[in-house]
Structure formats: structure tokens, C-alpha cells
Amino acid sequence: TQRNLLRLSIHAFDASTIPTHGRHFHQLSAAEAQGVLRGWMENELMEIRNGAISLYLFVGMAYTSHPLIAERLQQHFRCGYGR
């Protein structure tokens, strides 16, 4: 199912930093994680680049649509976002 594919993708990206950084992505410092994410999003392999961008968009949409976050962001948008 799509849920399983999404879960698999998240786990794969999380584990992919073990060979290069010795730990999972979620265990990296913010600066390390940002560098890794930038590398994925600029990767020459389309599959890695598109996978990273897709997960980035998914997480961003989920984060900003959370009621507590949307409430804080609504002050920056006149269109009615977060109401």
C-alpha cells in the first residue's frame, strides 16, 4: 500500500546516513542533517533527488498543517491560512 511505501522510504532515508556518518539521519545534528538533505536534493541520481524532495514536501506539509503550527503561521498569511 502507499502507507507502507512511504514508511519504507522514510526508514531507508533515515538509515542511509549510517555508512557515511555512523548513525541514523534523525540522530545527526541540525547542521549535519541540513547538509545531508541538501546533498540528497541536489544528487545527480534522479531517484535519490526526487525521493528526497518528495519526502521533504510531505513532511513540510504535515508539519505546517498541524493545528498548533498553523495557528502560529496564520499571522503571516492574509489569505486565511490556519483559520
Side-chain angles (χ1 to χ4, degrees):
T1 65
Q2 289 179 338
R3 178 181 281 175
N4 288 337
L5 288 174
L6 179 60
R7 184 175 288 159
L8 176 65
S9 298
I10 291 170
H11 286 290
F13 275 104
D14 189 42
S16 70
T17 57
I18 294 173
T20 57
H21 292 79
R23 55 197 182 282
H24 286 87
F25 180 81
H26 76 272
Q27 296 170 321
L28 300 176
S29 71
E32 289 175 310
Q34 188 175 23
V36 168
L37 184 58
R38 180 173 285 118
W40 288 339
M41 293 174 71
E42 296 172 355
N43 197 290
E44 62 185 44
L45 293 175
M46 179 186 66
E47 294 83 3
I48 293 173
R49 186 175 60 248
N50 288 345
I53 291 170
S54 296
L55 284 175
Y56 181 82
L57 289 172
F58 175 78
V59 170
M61 288 177 3
Y63 176 78
T64 58
S65 65
H66 188 278
L68 294 174
I69 301 304
E71 182 180 309
R72 291 183 178 179
L73 292 177
Q74 74 182 9
Q75 64 184 330
H76 302 288
F77 299 94
R78 295 182 187 184
C79 65
Y81 173 82
R83 294 182 193 143

